[in-house]
Amino acid sequence: MTRLIDDIKRVWRGEQQPSLTWSCLFAAICLIAATAIRYGMAHLRPDVFFTPYMPAVFFATAMGGSGVGLATAILGAALGLTLDFGGGPADGARLALMTMYLTVAGLVIWGVNHYRSLAGKQREIARRLTEEEQYRKLLVDELHHRLKNKTSTIHAVLHQVLHDQPQVWGRIDQRIRALATADDLIARADAQGCDLKDLLTSELGPYGHVRFDLSGDPLFLPAKLAVSLALIFHELATNAGKYGAFASPRGFLQVSWTMQGDRLKLTWDEAEGPAPGPIGKPGFGTKLLKAALSSFDGTTETTFLATGLHCTMQCRVPPS
């Protein structure tokens, strides 16, 4: 019984084509039911000849297709014309009602077939999008795996070359590990999202937890926004390690954030870093900071103060 119900649901949605015998049997049941309804209505309105057959045409078309629906419409017209439960002869008025019935039945058959055609195209588009999404995830996983292998290879080669220079190796080792951590976090965030504080901690942790302070309420970031912010934080942290707060023994970073409605406002303040030098032409990092949040109605503004870099970010946080 459960399987029969599932088959009927698939046929109704147009996902399965029933056999001709099943379709004809179903149409016959619809005609019998419509005739029974017409017989019951004849006690109140004897002049109702064709109206009860309209639902039969609709259901027969939806379940069996246009051919079965057309046959049902013709048989309904014949039954409405020949069967007279009120006892009156078939006159011109009944012929006019039959013409109107057949016209409306034709529109019903066309409408059902048009809807099923559109629904079929939508299912095909959804199927193709699902396949493309699965293929995209496969490519991303493969690229992430290869990138991780290359990072590990670079890490091993540099460790072998710089094993007799522990101070230099210690600084390079932290940067490579930070880059690998960012890559892993982006891969995880693409699947499920993450908390903002966890995102910042993973990016800034390699520089020492005493070198920064995070202030803000827990905030879960959807996957796409988490990826964009991970790229921004990694870029800012890398610059802080090269030229900013993390490049000085006394340097310190303060990151704070607040939510106003669905808008996130985040402030990145560096202090006690090296004196800022001449600012060159905008590079890839500057372009990344300006463009990464554009899809979230966001902006990023950076200012080089005497105390260090000051950066403010604002963006819309989509619902999780």
Side-chain angles (χ1 to χ4, degrees), residues 86-150:
D91 52 7
R94 191 184 302 191
L95 292 176
L97 289 174
M98 184 185 70
T99 303
M100 295 174 60
Y101 157 76
L102 290 174
T103 301
V104 175
L107 292 175
V108 169
I109 294 172
W110 175 84
V112 171
N113 283 328
H114 182 65
Y115 168 78
R116 295 186 70 173
S117 175
L118 293 178
K121 292 180 180 179
Q122 291 294 331
R123 285 194 299 271
E124 178 64 19
I125 293 173
R127 183 189 63 81
R128 291 173 57 186
L129 288 176
T130 301
E131 292 178 352
E132 291 178 2
E133 177 65 15
Q134 293 175 347
Y135 182 65
R136 183 194 71 83
K137 289 183 178 179
L138 179 63
L139 287 180
V140 170
D141 291 341
E142 177 63 21
L143 289 174
H144 175 66
H145 177 69
R146 294 187 181 186
L147 178 61
K148 195 171 183 178
N149 287 341
K150 288 185 177 180

Coordinates of all heavy atoms in Angstrom, one line a residue, residues 86-150:
G86 N -32.8 14.4 -15.2 CA -33.9 15.2 -14.9 C -35.1 14.9 -15.8 O -36.2 15.5 -15.6
G87 N -34.9 14.1 -16.8 CA -36.1 13.6 -17.7 C -36.3 14.6 -18.8 O -37.3 14.4 -19.5
G88 N -35.5 15.5 -19.1 CA -35.7 16.4 -20.2 C -35.0 16.0 -21.4 O -33.9 15.3 -21.4
P89 N -35.4 16.4 -22.6 CA -34.7 16.1 -23.9 C -33.4 17.0 -24.1 O -33.3 18.0 -23.5 CB -35.7 16.4 -25.0 CG -36.5 17.5 -24.4 CD -36.6 17.2 -22.9
A90 N -32.5 16.5 -24.9 CA -31.3 17.3 -25.2 C -31.7 18.4 -26.2 O -32.1 18.1 -27.3 CB -30.2 16.3 -25.8
D91 N -31.6 19.6 -25.8 CA -32.0 20.7 -26.6 C -30.7 21.6 -27.0 O -29.6 21.2 -26.7 CB -33.0 21.6 -25.9 CG -32.6 22.0 -24.5 OD1 -31.4 21.7 -24.1 OD2 -33.3 22.6 -23.7
G92 N -31.0 22.7 -27.6 CA -29.9 23.6 -28.0 C -29.1 24.1 -26.9 O -27.9 24.3 -27.0
A93 N -29.8 24.4 -25.7 CA -29.1 24.9 -24.6 C -28.1 23.9 -24.1 O -26.9 24.3 -23.7 CB -30.1 25.3 -23.5
R94 N -28.4 22.6 -24.1 CA -27.5 21.6 -23.6 C -26.3 21.5 -24.6 O -25.1 21.3 -24.1 CB -28.1 20.3 -23.4 CG -27.3 19.3 -22.7 CD -27.9 17.9 -22.6 NE -29.1 17.9 -21.9 CZ -29.8 16.8 -21.6 NH1 -29.2 15.6 -21.8 NH2 -30.9 16.8 -21.0
L95 N -26.6 21.7 -25.8 CA -25.5 21.6 -26.8 C -24.5 22.8 -26.6 O -23.3 22.7 -26.7 CB -26.0 21.6 -28.2 CG -26.8 20.4 -28.7 CD1 -27.4 20.5 -30.0 CD2 -25.9 19.1 -28.6
A96 N -25.1 24.0 -26.3 CA -24.2 25.1 -26.0 C -23.4 24.9 -24.8 O -22.2 25.3 -24.7 CB -25.1 26.4 -25.9
L97 N -24.0 24.3 -23.7 CA -23.2 24.0 -22.5 C -22.1 23.0 -22.8 O -21.0 23.1 -22.2 CB -24.2 23.5 -21.4 CG -25.1 24.5 -20.8 CD1 -26.1 23.8 -19.9 CD2 -24.4 25.6 -20.1
M98 N -22.4 22.1 -23.7 CA -21.4 21.1 -24.0 C -20.2 21.7 -24.7 O -19.1 21.4 -24.5 CB -22.0 20.0 -24.9 CG -21.0 18.8 -25.2 SD -21.7 17.6 -26.4 CE -21.8 18.6 -27.9
T99 N -20.5 22.7 -25.6 CA -19.5 23.4 -26.3 C -18.6 24.2 -25.3 O -17.3 24.2 -25.4 CB -20.1 24.4 -27.3 OG1 -20.9 23.6 -28.3 CG2 -19.0 25.1 -28.1
M100 N -19.2 24.9 -24.4 CA -18.5 25.6 -23.4 C -17.6 24.6 -22.5 O -16.5 24.9 -22.2 CB -19.4 26.3 -22.5 CG -20.2 27.5 -23.2 SD -21.4 28.3 -22.1 CE -20.4 28.8 -20.8
Y101 N -18.2 23.4 -22.2 CA -17.5 22.4 -21.4 C -16.3 21.9 -22.1 O -15.2 21.8 -21.5 CB -18.5 21.3 -21.1 CG -17.8 20.0 -20.7 CD1 -17.2 19.8 -19.5 CD2 -17.7 19.0 -21.7 CE1 -16.5 18.6 -19.2 CE2 -17.1 17.8 -21.4 CZ -16.5 17.6 -20.2 OH -15.8 16.4 -19.9
L102 N -16.4 21.6 -23.4 CA -15.3 21.1 -24.2 C -14.2 22.2 -24.3 O -13.0 21.9 -24.3 CB -15.7 20.6 -25.5 CG -16.6 19.4 -25.6 CD1 -17.1 19.1 -27.0 CD2 -15.8 18.2 -25.0
T103 N -14.6 23.5 -24.4 CA -13.6 24.5 -24.5 C -12.8 24.7 -23.2 O -11.6 24.7 -23.3 CB -14.3 25.9 -24.8 OG1 -15.0 25.8 -26.1 CG2 -13.3 27.0 -25.0
V104 N -13.5 24.7 -22.1 CA -12.9 24.8 -20.8 C -12.0 23.6 -20.6 O -10.9 23.7 -20.0 CB -13.9 25.0 -19.7 CG1 -13.2 25.0 -18.3 CG2 -14.6 26.3 -19.9
A105 N -12.5 22.4 -21.0 CA -11.7 21.1 -20.8 C -10.4 21.2 -21.6 O -9.4 20.8 -21.1 CB -12.6 19.9 -21.2
G106 N -10.5 21.7 -22.8 CA -9.3 21.9 -23.6 C -8.3 22.8 -22.9 O -7.1 22.5 -22.9
L107 N -8.8 23.9 -22.3 CA -7.9 24.8 -21.6 C -7.3 24.1 -20.4 O -6.1 24.3 -20.0 CB -8.6 26.1 -21.2 CG -9.1 27.0 -22.3 CD1 -9.9 28.1 -21.8 CD2 -7.9 27.5 -23.1
V108 N -8.1 23.3 -19.7 CA -7.6 22.6 -18.5 C -6.5 21.6 -18.9 O -5.4 21.5 -18.3 CB -8.7 21.9 -17.8 CG1 -8.1 20.9 -16.8 CG2 -9.6 22.8 -17.2
I109 N -6.7 20.9 -20.0 CA -5.7 19.9 -20.5 C -4.4 20.6 -20.9 O -3.3 20.2 -20.5 CB -6.2 19.1 -21.7 CG1 -7.4 18.2 -21.2 CG2 -5.1 18.3 -22.3 CD1 -8.1 17.6 -22.4
W110 N -4.5 21.8 -21.6 CA -3.3 22.5 -22.0 C -2.6 23.1 -20.7 O -1.4 23.0 -20.6 CB -3.7 23.7 -22.9 CG -2.6 24.6 -23.2 CD1 -1.7 24.5 -24.2 CD2 -2.2 25.8 -22.5 NE1 -0.7 25.5 -24.1 CE2 -1.0 26.3 -23.1 CE3 -2.8 26.5 -21.4 CZ2 -0.4 27.5 -22.6 CZ3 -2.1 27.6 -20.9 CH2 -1.0 28.1 -21.6
G111 N -3.4 23.6 -19.8 CA -2.8 24.1 -18.6 C -2.0 23.1 -17.8 O -0.9 23.3 -17.3
V112 N -2.6 21.9 -17.6 CA -1.9 20.8 -16.9 C -0.6 20.4 -17.5 O 0.4 20.3 -16.9 CB -2.9 19.7 -16.7 CG1 -2.1 18.5 -16.1 CG2 -4.1 20.0 -15.8
N113 N -0.7 20.3 -18.9 CA 0.5 19.8 -19.6 C 1.6 20.9 -19.6 O 2.8 20.6 -19.5 CB 0.1 19.5 -21.1 CG -0.5 18.2 -21.2 OD1 -0.3 17.3 -20.4 ND2 -1.5 18.1 -22.1
H114 N 1.2 22.2 -19.7 CA 2.1 23.3 -19.6 C 2.8 23.3 -18.2 O 4.0 23.5 -18.1 CB 1.4 24.6 -19.9 CG 2.3 25.8 -19.9 ND1 3.3 25.9 -20.8 CD2 2.4 26.9 -19.1 CE1 4.0 27.1 -20.6 NE2 3.4 27.6 -19.5
Y115 N 2.0 23.2 -17.2 CA 2.6 23.2 -15.8 C 3.5 22.0 -15.6 O 4.6 22.2 -15.1 CB 1.4 23.1 -14.8 CG 1.9 22.8 -13.4 CD1 2.5 23.8 -12.6 CD2 1.9 21.5 -12.9 CE1 3.0 23.5 -11.3 CE2 2.3 21.2 -11.6 CZ 2.9 22.3 -10.8 OH 3.4 22.0 -9.6
R116 N 3.2 20.8 -16.1 CA 4.0 19.7 -16.0 C 5.3 19.8 -16.8 O 6.4 19.4 -16.4 CB 3.3 18.4 -16.4 CG 2.1 18.0 -15.5 CD 1.5 16.7 -15.8 NE 2.4 15.6 -15.5 CZ 2.0 14.3 -15.5 NH1 0.8 14.0 -15.9 NH2 2.8 13.4 -15.2
S117 N 5.2 20.5 -17.9 CA 6.4 20.8 -18.7 C 7.4 21.7 -18.0 O 8.6 21.5 -17.9 CB 6.0 21.4 -20.1 OG 7.2 21.7 -20.8
L118 N 6.8 22.8 -17.4 CA 7.6 23.7 -16.6 C 8.2 23.0 -15.4 O 9.4 23.2 -15.0 CB 6.8 24.9 -16.1 CG 6.3 25.8 -17.3 CD1 5.5 26.9 -16.7 CD2 7.5 26.4 -18.0
A119 N 7.4 22.2 -14.7 CA 7.9 21.4 -13.5 C 9.0 20.5 -13.9 O 10.0 20.3 -13.2 CB 6.8 20.7 -12.9
G120 N 8.9 19.8 -15.1 CA 10.0 18.9 -15.5 C 11.3 19.7 -15.8 O 12.4 19.2 -15.5
K121 N 11.2 20.9 -16.4 CA 12.4 21.7 -16.7 C 13.0 22.1 -15.4 O 14.2 22.1 -15.2 CB 12.0 22.9 -17.5 CG 11.6 22.5 -18.9 CD 11.3 23.8 -19.7 CE 10.8 23.4 -21.2 NZ 10.5 24.7 -21.9
Q122 N 12.2 22.5 -14.4 CA 12.7 22.9 -13.1 C 13.4 21.7 -12.4 O 14.5 21.9 -11.8 CB 11.6 23.4 -12.2 CG 11.0 24.7 -12.6 CD 12.0 25.9 -12.5 OE1 12.9 25.9 -11.7 NE2 11.8 26.9 -13.4
R123 N 12.9 20.5 -12.5 CA 13.5 19.4 -11.9 C 14.9 19.1 -12.6 O 15.8 18.7 -11.9 CB 12.6 18.1 -12.0 CG 11.5 18.1 -11.0 CD 10.8 16.8 -10.9 NE 10.3 16.4 -12.2 CZ 9.0 16.6 -12.6 NH1 8.2 17.3 -11.8 NH2 8.6 16.2 -13.8
E124 N 14.9 19.2 -13.9 CA 16.1 19.0 -14.6 C 17.2 20.0 -14.2 O 18.4 19.7 -14.1 CB 15.9 19.1 -16.1 CG 17.1 18.9 -17.0 CD 17.7 17.5 -16.9 OE1 17.1 16.6 -16.4 OE2 18.9 17.4 -17.3
I125 N 16.8 21.3 -14.1 CA 17.7 22.3 -13.7 C 18.2 22.0 -12.3 O 19.4 22.2 -12.0 CB 17.1 23.7 -13.8 CG1 16.8 24.1 -15.2 CG2 17.9 24.8 -13.1 CD1 16.0 25.4 -15.4
A126 N 17.3 21.6 -11.4 CA 17.7 21.3 -10.0 C 18.7 20.1 -10.0 O 19.7 20.1 -9.2 CB 16.5 21.0 -9.2
R127 N 18.5 19.2 -10.8 CA 19.4 18.0 -10.9 C 20.7 18.4 -11.4 O 21.8 18.0 -10.8 CB 18.8 16.9 -11.8 CG 19.6 15.6 -11.9 CD 19.1 14.7 -13.0 NE 19.2 15.3 -14.3 CZ 20.3 15.3 -15.0 NH1 21.4 14.8 -14.5 NH2 20.4 15.9 -16.2
R128 N 20.8 19.2 -12.4 CA 22.1 19.7 -12.9 C 22.8 20.5 -11.9 O 24.0 20.4 -11.8 CB 21.9 20.4 -14.2 CG 21.4 19.6 -15.4 CD 21.0 20.4 -16.6 NE 22.2 21.2 -17.0 CZ 22.1 22.1 -18.0 NH1 20.9 22.4 -18.6 NH2 23.1 22.8 -18.4
L129 N 22.1 21.4 -11.2 CA 22.8 22.2 -10.2 C 23.3 21.4 -9.1 O 24.4 21.6 -8.6 CB 21.8 23.2 -9.6 CG 21.4 24.4 -10.6 CD1 20.3 25.3 -9.9 CD2 22.6 25.2 -10.9
T130 N 22.6 20.3 -8.7 CA 23.0 19.4 -7.6 C 24.3 18.7 -8.1 O 25.3 18.6 -7.3 CB 22.0 18.4 -7.3 OG1 20.8 19.1 -6.8 CG2 22.4 17.5 -6.2
E131 N 24.3 18.2 -9.3 CA 25.5 17.6 -9.8 C 26.7 18.5 -9.9 O 27.8 18.1 -9.6 CB 25.2 17.0 -11.2 CG 24.2 15.8 -11.2 CD 23.9 15.3 -12.6 OE1 24.4 15.9 -13.6 OE2 23.3 14.2 -12.7
E132 N 26.5 19.7 -10.4 CA 27.5 20.7 -10.5 C 28.1 21.1 -9.1 O 29.3 21.3 -8.9 CB 27.1 22.0 -11.2 CG 26.8 21.7 -12.7 CD 26.3 22.9 -13.4 OE1 26.1 24.0 -12.8 OE2 26.0 22.8 -14.6
E133 N 27.2 21.2 -8.1 CA 27.6 21.5 -6.8 C 28.5 20.4 -6.2 O 29.5 20.6 -5.5 CB 26.4 21.8 -5.9 CG 26.7 22.0 -4.4 CD 27.5 23.3 -4.2 OE1 27.5 24.2 -5.1 OE2 28.0 23.5 -3.1
Q134 N 28.1 19.1 -6.4 CA 28.9 18.0 -6.0 C 30.2 18.0 -6.6 O 31.2 17.7 -6.0 CB 28.1 16.7 -6.2 CG 26.9 16.5 -5.4 CD 26.1 15.3 -5.8 OE1 26.3 14.7 -6.8 NE2 25.1 14.9 -5.0
Y135 N 30.2 18.3 -7.9 CA 31.5 18.3 -8.7 C 32.4 19.5 -8.1 O 33.6 19.3 -8.0 CB 31.2 18.5 -10.2 CG 32.5 18.5 -11.0 CD1 33.3 17.4 -11.1 CD2 32.9 19.7 -11.7 CE1 34.4 17.4 -11.9 CE2 34.0 19.7 -12.5 CZ 34.8 18.5 -12.6 OH 35.9 18.5 -13.4
R136 N 31.8 20.6 -7.8 CA 32.5 21.8 -7.3 C 33.2 21.4 -5.9 O 34.3 21.7 -5.7 CB 31.6 23.0 -7.1 CG 32.4 24.2 -6.6 CD 31.4 25.3 -6.1 NE 30.8 24.9 -4.9 CZ 31.3 25.0 -3.7 NH1 32.5 25.6 -3.6 NH2 30.7 24.6 -2.6
K137 N 32.4 20.7 -5.1 CA 32.9 20.3 -3.8 C 34.1 19.3 -3.9 O 35.1 19.4 -3.2 CB 31.8 19.7 -2.9 CG 30.8 20.7 -2.4 CD 29.7 20.1 -1.6 CE 28.8 21.1 -1.0 NZ 27.7 20.5 -0.2
L138 N 33.9 18.4 -4.9 CA 35.0 17.5 -5.2 C 36.3 18.2 -5.6 O 37.4 17.9 -5.1 CB 34.6 16.5 -6.3 CG 35.6 15.4 -6.7 CD1 35.9 14.5 -5.5 CD2 35.1 14.6 -7.8
L139 N 36.2 19.2 -6.5 CA 37.3 19.9 -7.0 C 37.9 20.7 -5.8 O 39.2 20.8 -5.7 CB 36.9 20.9 -8.1 CG 36.6 20.2 -9.5 CD1 36.2 21.3 -10.5 CD2 37.8 19.4 -10.0
V140 N 37.1 21.4 -5.0 CA 37.6 22.1 -3.9 C 38.4 21.2 -2.9 O 39.5 21.6 -2.4 CB 36.5 22.9 -3.2 CG1 36.9 23.5 -1.8 CG2 35.9 24.0 -4.1
D141 N 37.8 20.1 -2.6 CA 38.5 19.1 -1.7 C 39.8 18.7 -2.3 O 40.8 18.6 -1.6 CB 37.6 17.9 -1.4 CG 36.4 18.3 -0.6 OD1 36.4 19.4 0.1 OD2 35.4 17.5 -0.6
E142 N 39.8 18.4 -3.6 CA 41.1 18.0 -4.2 C 42.1 19.1 -4.2 O 43.3 18.9 -3.9 CB 40.8 17.6 -5.7 CG 42.0 17.1 -6.5 CD 42.7 15.9 -5.9 OE1 42.1 15.1 -5.1 OE2 43.9 15.7 -6.2
L143 N 41.7 20.3 -4.5 CA 42.6 21.5 -4.5 C 43.1 21.7 -3.1 O 44.3 22.0 -2.9 CB 41.9 22.7 -5.1 CG 41.7 22.7 -6.6 CD1 40.8 24.0 -6.9 CD2 42.9 22.7 -7.4
H144 N 42.2 21.6 -2.1 CA 42.7 21.8 -0.7 C 43.7 20.7 -0.3 O 44.7 21.0 0.4 CB 41.5 21.8 0.2 CG 41.8 21.8 1.6 ND1 42.4 23.0 2.2 CD2 41.7 20.9 2.6 CE1 42.6 22.7 3.5 NE2 42.2 21.5 3.8
H145 N 43.4 19.5 -0.8 CA 44.4 18.4 -0.4 C 45.7 18.7 -1.1 O 46.8 18.5 -0.4 CB 43.8 17.1 -0.9 CG 44.7 15.9 -0.7 ND1 45.0 15.4 0.5 CD2 45.4 15.1 -1.6 CE1 45.8 14.4 0.4 NE2 46.0 14.2 -0.9
R146 N 45.7 19.1 -2.3 CA 47.0 19.4 -3.0 C 47.7 20.6 -2.4 O 49.0 20.5 -2.2 CB 46.8 19.7 -4.5 CG 46.3 18.4 -5.3 CD 46.2 18.7 -6.7 NE 45.7 17.6 -7.5 CZ 45.7 17.5 -8.8 NH1 46.1 18.5 -9.5 NH2 45.2 16.4 -9.4
L147 N 47.0 21.6 -2.0 CA 47.6 22.8 -1.4 C 48.2 22.4 0.0 O 49.3 22.8 0.3 CB 46.5 23.9 -1.2 CG 47.0 25.1 -0.5 CD1 48.1 25.8 -1.3 CD2 45.8 26.1 -0.3
K148 N 47.5 21.5 0.7 CA 48.0 21.1 2.0 C 49.3 20.3 1.8 O 50.3 20.4 2.6 CB 46.9 20.2 2.7 CG 47.2 20.0 4.2 CD 46.0 19.4 4.9 CE 46.3 19.2 6.3 NZ 45.1 18.6 7.0
N149 N 49.3 19.4 0.8 CA 50.5 18.7 0.5 C 51.7 19.6 0.1 O 52.9 19.4 0.6 CB 50.3 17.7 -0.6 CG 49.4 16.5 -0.1 OD1 49.3 16.3 1.1 ND2 48.8 15.8 -1.1
K150 N 51.4 20.6 -0.7 CA 52.5 21.5 -1.1 C 53.0 22.3 0.1 O 54.2 22.6 0.3 CB 52.0 22.5 -2.2 CG 51.8 21.8 -3.5 CD 51.4 22.8 -4.6 CE 51.3 22.1 -5.9 NZ 50.9 23.1 -7.0

